[in-house]
Amino acid sequence: MALNKSMHPRNRYKDKAPDFAYLASKYPEFKQHVHTNLTGRVGLNFKDPEAVRALTCTLLKEDFGLTIEIPLERLIPTVPLRLNYIHWVEDLIEGGGQRWGIDIGTGASCIYPLLGASMNGWFFLATEVDDMCYNYAKKNVEQNNLSELIKVVKVPQKTLLMDALKEESGIVYDFCMCNPPFFANQLEAKGVNSRSARRPPPSSVNTGGVTEIMAEGGELEFVKRIIHDSLQLQRRLRWYSCMLGKKCSLAPLKEELRKHGVPKVTHTEFCQGRTMRWALAWSFYEDVTVPSPPSKKRKLEKARKPITFTVLSPTVRELTGKVASIGSSATSSTDVVTAWIEKTLSDLRVLHKRVPCGKSEVSLFLTVVENSWIHIRNKRRDRGRQLREVPRAPPSGGNSTLQSSETKQPETPTPAQTTETDSKTDTEESEVIVTLEPESSSSTIGGAQASTNGNSPIQESGTKEVDQAVDNAACLEQGPENKVDSTAIVPLSAEPDRQETAAAVVSATTGEGSSDVQHFLFKCLMNMKDEGSDVVVEMHWVEGQNRDLMNQLCTYLKNQLFRLMVSPL
């Protein structure tokens, strides 16, 4: 019963739904309609008219001491919904004492007068146009000994208030109630034109006679006729009210009342089970207290939990050395992780900036304009292929020549170098050509260098710079109209001013420096905060095309951290 928490606060079924098992044990006529599923839960088939009738009669008997009879050919009311309406009328008329009300179209059950009279001692004039409903309503009033409080009258077709009050000229009624026919024709009653395709089918059976569920023009025209009568009766009733089955009827009816200058108008919602109804009330008295309508609560998107992963303290220690090698002065765990993430995002060309946040955390706002992490493996393979294809150095004296050329830059090029340089084309200028032994299985973690095949530290450093240069070259789109000078590609160990120059070149090449990004894949907020000696990273979705893209980026970051820790020293 999804909407039960929104029932009227005084509705007895708001916090305690009917106990079918208990009712079945006490009332044999109800027990025959109850079933137990495989999990032991007791339920009822609301598609069965007899089961719905048995439930209504049982609840009225158990909770209100009322005994009624309802034919299957007529409308079978649900008790929680009718009780909501009664409680709202209590709010309208304020306080107890002797109250007089009118129920327009009381139905066979005569449920509104029976509830109002038995609960509050109200006097009722109950009108009905259908012969069968009139006879059952009169019988239900008599067998509950409420004839002194409830008067059931038979009225002609299309009679609402005017004709019913001709013989009651000396009474000022406190209110009128009405559950009008909702539908204009059979197609609407079956939900062909009135029910959205997104809504699930009704969970209960729709019973009722023609006069109870259908009227010319549907509920909208029916209630407009009551408004027309109220304009003539005016202060003969303190409050006029009607229940509505469609929310779309509310606005035109309120506009109708405004057009006629009705001073006091209000509305409410009735929520129960999977069913919602609306009610409209108006008054020509200036001194009545108008209950506030339900507040317009903005429907927010259901809060989604952020994607979270934890950077453990051993990984933080490894990252401390890593970020120090790129010139970062971060000291705290959160700043270290943030510096590494910012560097990784920059390599991926993900736009990011720091935003205000709490004292012990760092927040980054990410704008992703391209999926730059899906072809990382292909780029790594291309880099290895390029390194395998470069020519090897001569076997004798090759290493010393390379080391000398890397450690000391000659002031003037040799004739051979000049000839080689002059012979290069414009396209070849953007390529990185290195004469070097194949890369050995070594890794740099936390700034510590290691070599396994006897290469010198200088050679290892050179290899690392070449790898970084190839990575940067692979990330940029090379073409006749988009050339980047190879001197702008700076390794991790370069000076800060060189890094700024490289960032400027990349920004100019890719358009990353633009602050106004109109086309993007997604935006998210990334928070880094301490949790003991670890750092928790949270990624909160903001907007975008596909939330899975944020999951992919998160997975990429975690994989990079994993590779950092498992790489051999």
PDB file of all heavy atoms in Angstrom, residues 369-395:
ATOM      1  N   VAL A 369      34.162  15.630 -22.014  1.00  0.00           N
ATOM      2  CA  VAL A 369      33.703  15.952 -23.358  1.00  0.00           C
ATOM      3  C   VAL A 369      34.011  14.847 -24.358  1.00  0.00           C
ATOM      4  O   VAL A 369      33.507  14.863 -25.478  1.00  0.00           O
ATOM      5  CB  VAL A 369      34.339  17.276 -23.842  1.00  0.00           C
ATOM      6  CG1 VAL A 369      33.871  18.433 -22.989  1.00  0.00           C
ATOM      7  CG2 VAL A 369      35.856  17.190 -23.828  1.00  0.00           C
ATOM      8  N   GLU A 370      34.854  13.884 -23.977  1.00  0.00           N
ATOM      9  CA  GLU A 370      35.152  12.757 -24.867  1.00  0.00           C
ATOM     10  C   GLU A 370      35.544  11.550 -24.025  1.00  0.00           C
ATOM     11  O   GLU A 370      36.035  11.682 -22.910  1.00  0.00           O
ATOM     12  CB  GLU A 370      36.287  13.113 -25.829  1.00  0.00           C
ATOM     13  CG  GLU A 370      37.605  13.440 -25.133  1.00  0.00           C
ATOM     14  CD  GLU A 370      38.741  13.645 -26.119  1.00  0.00           C
ATOM     15  OE1 GLU A 370      38.787  12.896 -27.109  1.00  0.00           O
ATOM     16  OE2 GLU A 370      39.562  14.540 -25.880  1.00  0.00           O
ATOM     17  N   ASN A 371      35.308  10.391 -24.578  1.00  0.00           N
ATOM     18  CA  ASN A 371      35.676   9.143 -23.908  1.00  0.00           C
ATOM     19  C   ASN A 371      37.107   8.809 -24.296  1.00  0.00           C
ATOM     20  O   ASN A 371      37.357   8.133 -25.290  1.00  0.00           O
ATOM     21  CB  ASN A 371      34.721   8.024 -24.322  1.00  0.00           C
ATOM     22  CG  ASN A 371      34.888   6.789 -23.469  1.00  0.00           C
ATOM     23  OD1 ASN A 371      35.927   6.592 -22.845  1.00  0.00           O
ATOM     24  ND2 ASN A 371      33.874   5.948 -23.436  1.00  0.00           N
ATOM     25  N   SER A 372      38.045   9.301 -23.491  1.00  0.00           N
ATOM     26  CA  SER A 372      39.470   9.171 -23.832  1.00  0.00           C
ATOM     27  C   SER A 372      40.146   8.014 -23.121  1.00  0.00           C
ATOM     28  O   SER A 372      41.357   7.867 -23.211  1.00  0.00           O
ATOM     29  CB  SER A 372      40.195  10.474 -23.481  1.00  0.00           C
ATOM     30  OG  SER A 372      39.979  10.811 -22.125  1.00  0.00           O
ATOM     31  N   TRP A 373      39.393   7.193 -22.408  1.00  0.00           N
ATOM     32  CA  TRP A 373      40.015   6.096 -21.661  1.00  0.00           C
ATOM     33  C   TRP A 373      39.718   4.720 -22.250  1.00  0.00           C
ATOM     34  O   TRP A 373      40.198   3.712 -21.761  1.00  0.00           O
ATOM     35  CB  TRP A 373      39.541   6.127 -20.206  1.00  0.00           C
ATOM     36  CG  TRP A 373      38.038   6.105 -20.062  1.00  0.00           C
ATOM     37  CD1 TRP A 373      37.217   5.017 -20.064  1.00  0.00           C
ATOM     38  CD2 TRP A 373      37.190   7.232 -19.937  1.00  0.00           C
ATOM     39  NE1 TRP A 373      35.921   5.384 -19.956  1.00  0.00           N
ATOM     40  CE2 TRP A 373      35.859   6.749 -19.862  1.00  0.00           C
ATOM     41  CE3 TRP A 373      37.407   8.605 -19.881  1.00  0.00           C
ATOM     42  CZ2 TRP A 373      34.774   7.597 -19.721  1.00  0.00           C
ATOM     43  CZ3 TRP A 373      36.318   9.440 -19.732  1.00  0.00           C
ATOM     44  CH2 TRP A 373      35.021   8.942 -19.666  1.00  0.00           C
ATOM     45  N   ILE A 374      38.948   4.660 -23.332  1.00  0.00           N
ATOM     46  CA  ILE A 374      38.565   3.335 -23.825  1.00  0.00           C
ATOM     47  C   ILE A 374      39.605   2.728 -24.745  1.00  0.00           C
ATOM     48  O   ILE A 374      39.618   1.525 -24.956  1.00  0.00           O
ATOM     49  CB  ILE A 374      37.212   3.398 -24.559  1.00  0.00           C
ATOM     50  CG1 ILE A 374      37.280   4.373 -25.728  1.00  0.00           C
ATOM     51  CG2 ILE A 374      36.099   3.766 -23.612  1.00  0.00           C
ATOM     52  CD1 ILE A 374      36.053   4.336 -26.618  1.00  0.00           C
ATOM     53  N   HIS A 375      40.509   3.550 -25.341  1.00  0.00           N
ATOM     54  CA  HIS A 375      41.496   3.018 -26.279  1.00  0.00           C
ATOM     55  C   HIS A 375      42.896   3.036 -25.695  1.00  0.00           C
ATOM     56  O   HIS A 375      43.879   3.047 -26.438  1.00  0.00           O
ATOM     57  CB  HIS A 375      41.471   3.814 -27.584  1.00  0.00           C
ATOM     58  CG  HIS A 375      40.156   3.756 -28.290  1.00  0.00           C
ATOM     59  ND1 HIS A 375      39.537   2.563 -28.603  1.00  0.00           N
ATOM     60  CD2 HIS A 375      39.328   4.741 -28.731  1.00  0.00           C
ATOM     61  CE1 HIS A 375      38.403   2.807 -29.217  1.00  0.00           C
ATOM     62  NE2 HIS A 375      38.237   4.121 -29.298  1.00  0.00           N
ATOM     63  N   ILE A 376      42.995   3.034 -24.376  1.00  0.00           N
ATOM     64  CA  ILE A 376      44.306   3.079 -23.740  1.00  0.00           C
ATOM     65  C   ILE A 376      45.132   1.851 -24.115  1.00  0.00           C
ATOM     66  O   ILE A 376      46.335   1.935 -24.388  1.00  0.00           O
ATOM     67  CB  ILE A 376      44.149   3.186 -22.215  1.00  0.00           C
ATOM     68  CG1 ILE A 376      43.436   4.501 -21.867  1.00  0.00           C
ATOM     69  CG2 ILE A 376      45.491   3.105 -21.526  1.00  0.00           C
ATOM     70  CD1 ILE A 376      44.215   5.729 -22.241  1.00  0.00           C
ATOM     71  N   ARG A 377      44.518   0.677 -24.129  1.00  0.00           N
ATOM     72  CA  ARG A 377      45.259  -0.548 -24.443  1.00  0.00           C
ATOM     73  C   ARG A 377      45.793  -0.511 -25.868  1.00  0.00           C
ATOM     74  O   ARG A 377      46.934  -0.884 -26.124  1.00  0.00           O
ATOM     75  CB  ARG A 377      44.357  -1.768 -24.244  1.00  0.00           C
ATOM     76  CG  ARG A 377      45.035  -3.087 -24.528  1.00  0.00           C
ATOM     77  CD  ARG A 377      44.112  -4.248 -24.233  1.00  0.00           C
ATOM     78  NE  ARG A 377      43.732  -4.280 -22.824  1.00  0.00           N
ATOM     79  CZ  ARG A 377      42.858  -5.151 -22.326  1.00  0.00           C
ATOM     80  NH1 ARG A 377      42.301  -6.050 -23.099  1.00  0.00           N
ATOM     81  NH2 ARG A 377      42.559  -5.126 -21.038  1.00  0.00           N
ATOM     82  N   ASN A 378      44.975  -0.025 -26.803  1.00  0.00           N
ATOM     83  CA  ASN A 378      45.441   0.071 -28.182  1.00  0.00           C
ATOM     84  C   ASN A 378      46.603   1.042 -28.308  1.00  0.00           C
ATOM     85  O   ASN A 378      47.566   0.804 -29.054  1.00  0.00           O
ATOM     86  CB  ASN A 378      44.289   0.507 -29.091  1.00  0.00           C
ATOM     87  CG  ASN A 378      43.210  -0.557 -29.196  1.00  0.00           C
ATOM     88  OD1 ASN A 378      43.481  -1.724 -28.930  1.00  0.00           O
ATOM     89  ND2 ASN A 378      42.013  -0.148 -29.577  1.00  0.00           N
ATOM     90  N   LYS A 379      46.516   2.144 -27.577  1.00  0.00           N
ATOM     91  CA  LYS A 379      47.616   3.105 -27.617  1.00  0.00           C
ATOM     92  C   LYS A 379      48.891   2.499 -27.051  1.00  0.00           C
ATOM     93  O   LYS A 379      49.995   2.749 -27.552  1.00  0.00           O
ATOM     94  CB  LYS A 379      47.228   4.356 -26.825  1.00  0.00           C
ATOM     95  CG  LYS A 379      46.086   5.147 -27.455  1.00  0.00           C
ATOM     96  CD  LYS A 379      45.663   6.286 -26.565  1.00  0.00           C
ATOM     97  CE  LYS A 379      44.475   7.028 -27.160  1.00  0.00           C
ATOM     98  NZ  LYS A 379      43.999   8.107 -26.262  1.00  0.00           N
ATOM     99  N   ARG A 380      48.765   1.692 -26.000  1.00  0.00           N
ATOM    100  CA  ARG A 380      49.947   1.061 -25.412  1.00  0.00           C
ATOM    101  C   ARG A 380      50.567   0.080 -26.411  1.00  0.00           C
ATOM    102  O   ARG A 380      51.792  -0.035 -26.534  1.00  0.00           O
ATOM    103  CB  ARG A 380      49.555   0.353 -24.114  1.00  0.00           C
ATOM    104  CG  ARG A 380      50.750  -0.121 -23.289  1.00  0.00           C
ATOM    105  CD  ARG A 380      50.316  -0.830 -22.019  1.00  0.00           C
ATOM    106  NE  ARG A 380      49.528   0.051 -21.176  1.00  0.00           N
ATOM    107  CZ  ARG A 380      48.241  -0.132 -20.910  1.00  0.00           C
ATOM    108  NH1 ARG A 380      47.608  -1.168 -21.449  1.00  0.00           N
ATOM    109  NH2 ARG A 380      47.590   0.679 -20.131  1.00  0.00           N
ATOM    110  N   ARG A 381      49.711  -0.641 -27.136  1.00  0.00           N
ATOM    111  CA  ARG A 381      50.241  -1.567 -28.147  1.00  0.00           C
ATOM    112  C   ARG A 381      50.942  -0.809 -29.276  1.00  0.00           C
ATOM    113  O   ARG A 381      51.994  -1.221 -29.757  1.00  0.00           O
ATOM    114  CB  ARG A 381      49.099  -2.407 -28.707  1.00  0.00           C
ATOM    115  CG  ARG A 381      48.543  -3.435 -27.729  1.00  0.00           C
ATOM    116  CD  ARG A 381      47.319  -4.107 -28.300  1.00  0.00           C
ATOM    117  NE  ARG A 381      46.795  -5.119 -27.389  1.00  0.00           N
ATOM    118  CZ  ARG A 381      45.630  -5.745 -27.556  1.00  0.00           C
ATOM    119  NH1 ARG A 381      44.884  -5.459 -28.605  1.00  0.00           N
ATOM    120  NH2 ARG A 381      45.220  -6.652 -26.688  1.00  0.00           N
ATOM    121  N   ASP A 382      50.350   0.315 -29.696  1.00  0.00           N
ATOM    122  CA  ASP A 382      50.980   1.116 -30.747  1.00  0.00           C
ATOM    123  C   ASP A 382      52.332   1.633 -30.285  1.00  0.00           C
ATOM    124  O   ASP A 382      53.297   1.686 -31.065  1.00  0.00           O
ATOM    125  CB  ASP A 382      50.067   2.278 -31.132  1.00  0.00           C
ATOM    126  CG  ASP A 382      48.806   1.801 -31.826  1.00  0.00           C
ATOM    127  OD1 ASP A 382      48.811   0.654 -32.321  1.00  0.00           O
ATOM    128  OD2 ASP A 382      47.823   2.566 -31.860  1.00  0.00           O
ATOM    129  N   ARG A 383      52.424   2.026 -29.032  1.00  0.00           N
ATOM    130  CA  ARG A 383      53.702   2.519 -28.514  1.00  0.00           C
ATOM    131  C   ARG A 383      54.758   1.428 -28.550  1.00  0.00           C
ATOM    132  O   ARG A 383      55.897   1.647 -28.974  1.00  0.00           O
ATOM    133  CB  ARG A 383      53.515   3.029 -27.080  1.00  0.00           C
ATOM    134  CG  ARG A 383      54.790   3.588 -26.462  1.00  0.00           C
ATOM    135  CD  ARG A 383      54.576   3.935 -25.001  1.00  0.00           C
ATOM    136  NE  ARG A 383      54.318   2.721 -24.236  1.00  0.00           N
ATOM    137  CZ  ARG A 383      54.032   2.729 -22.927  1.00  0.00           C
ATOM    138  NH1 ARG A 383      53.924   3.868 -22.289  1.00  0.00           N
ATOM    139  NH2 ARG A 383      53.844   1.603 -22.289  1.00  0.00           N
ATOM    140  N   GLY A 384      54.406   0.222 -28.129  1.00  0.00           N
ATOM    141  CA  GLY A 384      55.352  -0.883 -28.174  1.00  0.00           C
ATOM    142  C   GLY A 384      55.770  -1.221 -29.588  1.00  0.00           C
ATOM    143  O   GLY A 384      56.934  -1.550 -29.851  1.00  0.00           O
ATOM    144  N   ARG A 385      54.799  -1.120 -30.519  1.00  0.00           N
ATOM    145  CA  ARG A 385      55.118  -1.397 -31.924  1.00  0.00           C
ATOM    146  C   ARG A 385      56.092  -0.357 -32.470  1.00  0.00           C
ATOM    147  O   ARG A 385      57.021  -0.679 -33.212  1.00  0.00           O
ATOM    148  CB  ARG A 385      53.836  -1.408 -32.744  1.00  0.00           C
ATOM    149  CG  ARG A 385      54.008  -1.925 -34.165  1.00  0.00           C
ATOM    150  CD  ARG A 385      52.686  -1.966 -34.910  1.00  0.00           C
ATOM    151  NE  ARG A 385      51.726  -2.833 -34.245  1.00  0.00           N
ATOM    152  CZ  ARG A 385      50.632  -2.398 -33.619  1.00  0.00           C
ATOM    153  NH1 ARG A 385      50.381  -1.111 -33.569  1.00  0.00           N
ATOM    154  NH2 ARG A 385      49.798  -3.240 -33.040  1.00  0.00           N
ATOM    155  N   GLN A 386      55.899   0.904 -32.089  1.00  0.00           N
ATOM    156  CA  GLN A 386      56.806   1.949 -32.540  1.00  0.00           C
ATOM    157  C   GLN A 386      58.212   1.732 -31.994  1.00  0.00           C
ATOM    158  O   GLN A 386      59.204   1.910 -32.700  1.00  0.00           O
ATOM    159  CB  GLN A 386      56.280   3.323 -32.111  1.00  0.00           C
ATOM    160  CG  GLN A 386      55.018   3.759 -32.840  1.00  0.00           C
ATOM    161  CD  GLN A 386      54.463   5.052 -32.286  1.00  0.00           C
ATOM    162  OE1 GLN A 386      55.100   5.679 -31.447  1.00  0.00           O
ATOM    163  NE2 GLN A 386      53.288   5.424 -32.766  1.00  0.00           N
ATOM    164  N   LEU A 387      58.322   1.318 -30.727  1.00  0.00           N
ATOM    165  CA  LEU A 387      59.635   1.099 -30.133  1.00  0.00           C
ATOM    166  C   LEU A 387      60.347  -0.085 -30.778  1.00  0.00           C
ATOM    167  O   LEU A 387      61.564  -0.104 -30.895  1.00  0.00           O
ATOM    168  CB  LEU A 387      59.499   0.880 -28.625  1.00  0.00           C
ATOM    169  CG  LEU A 387      59.051   2.107 -27.802  1.00  0.00           C
ATOM    170  CD1 LEU A 387      58.892   1.741 -26.345  1.00  0.00           C
ATOM    171  CD2 LEU A 387      60.084   3.225 -27.945  1.00  0.00           C
ATOM    172  N   ARG A 388      59.567  -1.104 -31.190  1.00  0.00           N
ATOM    173  CA  ARG A 388      60.191  -2.262 -31.840  1.00  0.00           C
ATOM    174  C   ARG A 388      60.675  -1.939 -33.246  1.00  0.00           C
ATOM    175  O   ARG A 388      61.587  -2.560 -33.764  1.00  0.00           O
ATOM    176  CB  ARG A 388      59.205  -3.433 -31.883  1.00  0.00           C
ATOM    177  CG  ARG A 388      58.975  -4.096 -30.535  1.00  0.00           C
ATOM    178  CD  ARG A 388      58.281  -5.428 -30.707  1.00  0.00           C
ATOM    179  NE  ARG A 388      56.956  -5.270 -31.303  1.00  0.00           N
ATOM    180  CZ  ARG A 388      55.841  -5.084 -30.602  1.00  0.00           C
ATOM    181  NH1 ARG A 388      55.916  -4.991 -29.261  1.00  0.00           N
ATOM    182  NH2 ARG A 388      54.681  -4.949 -31.206  1.00  0.00           N
ATOM    183  N   GLU A 389      60.040  -0.952 -33.877  1.00  0.00           N
ATOM    184  CA  GLU A 389      60.387  -0.640 -35.256  1.00  0.00           C
ATOM    185  C   GLU A 389      61.534   0.339 -35.393  1.00  0.00           C
ATOM    186  O   GLU A 389      62.092   0.490 -36.470  1.00  0.00           O
ATOM    187  CB  GLU A 389      59.153  -0.070 -35.969  1.00  0.00           C
ATOM    188  CG  GLU A 389      58.060  -1.098 -36.194  1.00  0.00           C
ATOM    189  CD  GLU A 389      56.817  -0.480 -36.789  1.00  0.00           C
ATOM    190  OE1 GLU A 389      56.798   0.771 -36.946  1.00  0.00           O
ATOM    191  OE2 GLU A 389      55.875  -1.233 -37.108  1.00  0.00           O
ATOM    192  N   VAL A 390      61.938   1.043 -34.321  1.00  0.00           N
ATOM    193  CA  VAL A 390      63.039   2.002 -34.446  1.00  0.00           C
ATOM    194  C   VAL A 390      64.348   1.243 -34.651  1.00  0.00           C
ATOM    195  O   VAL A 390      64.541   0.147 -34.132  1.00  0.00           O
ATOM    196  CB  VAL A 390      63.139   2.886 -33.180  1.00  0.00           C
ATOM    197  CG1 VAL A 390      61.901   3.728 -33.025  1.00  0.00           C
ATOM    198  CG2 VAL A 390      63.388   2.050 -31.947  1.00  0.00           C
ATOM    199  N   PRO A 391      65.320   1.811 -35.449  1.00  0.00           N
ATOM    200  CA  PRO A 391      66.597   1.106 -35.689  1.00  0.00           C
ATOM    201  C   PRO A 391      67.443   1.039 -34.426  1.00  0.00           C
ATOM    202  O   PRO A 391      67.433   1.943 -33.599  1.00  0.00           O
ATOM    203  CB  PRO A 391      67.265   1.963 -36.762  1.00  0.00           C
ATOM    204  CG  PRO A 391      66.633   3.325 -36.615  1.00  0.00           C
ATOM    205  CD  PRO A 391      65.219   3.068 -36.184  1.00  0.00           C
ATOM    206  N   ARG A 392      68.163  -0.077 -34.275  1.00  0.00           N
ATOM    207  CA  ARG A 392      69.038  -0.268 -33.118  1.00  0.00           C
ATOM    208  C   ARG A 392      70.345   0.508 -33.324  1.00  0.00           C
ATOM    209  O   ARG A 392      70.783   0.744 -34.429  1.00  0.00           O
ATOM    210  CB  ARG A 392      69.355  -1.750 -32.919  1.00  0.00           C
ATOM    211  CG  ARG A 392      68.169  -2.582 -32.471  1.00  0.00           C
ATOM    212  CD  ARG A 392      68.548  -4.035 -32.361  1.00  0.00           C
ATOM    213  NE  ARG A 392      67.449  -4.829 -31.871  1.00  0.00           N
ATOM    214  CZ  ARG A 392      67.232  -5.070 -30.589  1.00  0.00           C
ATOM    215  NH1 ARG A 392      68.073  -4.585 -29.686  1.00  0.00           N
ATOM    216  NH2 ARG A 392      66.214  -5.788 -30.200  1.00  0.00           N
ATOM    217  N   ALA A 393      70.999   0.861 -32.225  1.00  0.00           N
ATOM    218  CA  ALA A 393      72.289   1.551 -32.275  1.00  0.00           C
ATOM    219  C   ALA A 393      73.387   0.556 -32.649  1.00  0.00           C
ATOM    220  O   ALA A 393      73.237  -0.650 -32.485  1.00  0.00           O
ATOM    221  CB  ALA A 393      72.590   2.179 -30.916  1.00  0.00           C
ATOM    222  N   PRO A 394      74.535   1.034 -33.197  1.00  0.00           N
ATOM    223  CA  PRO A 394      75.658   0.126 -33.508  1.00  0.00           C
ATOM    224  C   PRO A 394      76.087  -0.632 -32.270  1.00  0.00           C
ATOM    225  O   PRO A 394      76.009  -0.122 -31.151  1.00  0.00           O
ATOM    226  CB  PRO A 394      76.752   1.076 -33.991  1.00  0.00           C
ATOM    227  CG  PRO A 394      76.018   2.290 -34.455  1.00  0.00           C
ATOM    228  CD  PRO A 394      74.824   2.413 -33.581  1.00  0.00           C
ATOM    229  N   PRO A 395      76.547  -1.904 -32.423  1.00  0.00           N
ATOM    230  CA  PRO A 395      76.879  -2.728 -31.256  1.00  0.00           C
ATOM    231  C   PRO A 395      78.032  -2.172 -30.441  1.00  0.00           C
ATOM    232  O   PRO A 395      78.105  -2.401 -29.245  1.00  0.00           O
ATOM    233  CB  PRO A 395      77.231  -4.084 -31.869  1.00  0.00           C
ATOM    234  CG  PRO A 395      77.574  -3.774 -33.292  1.00  0.00           C
ATOM    235  CD  PRO A 395      76.735  -2.614 -33.698  1.00  0.00           C
TER     236      PRO A 395
END
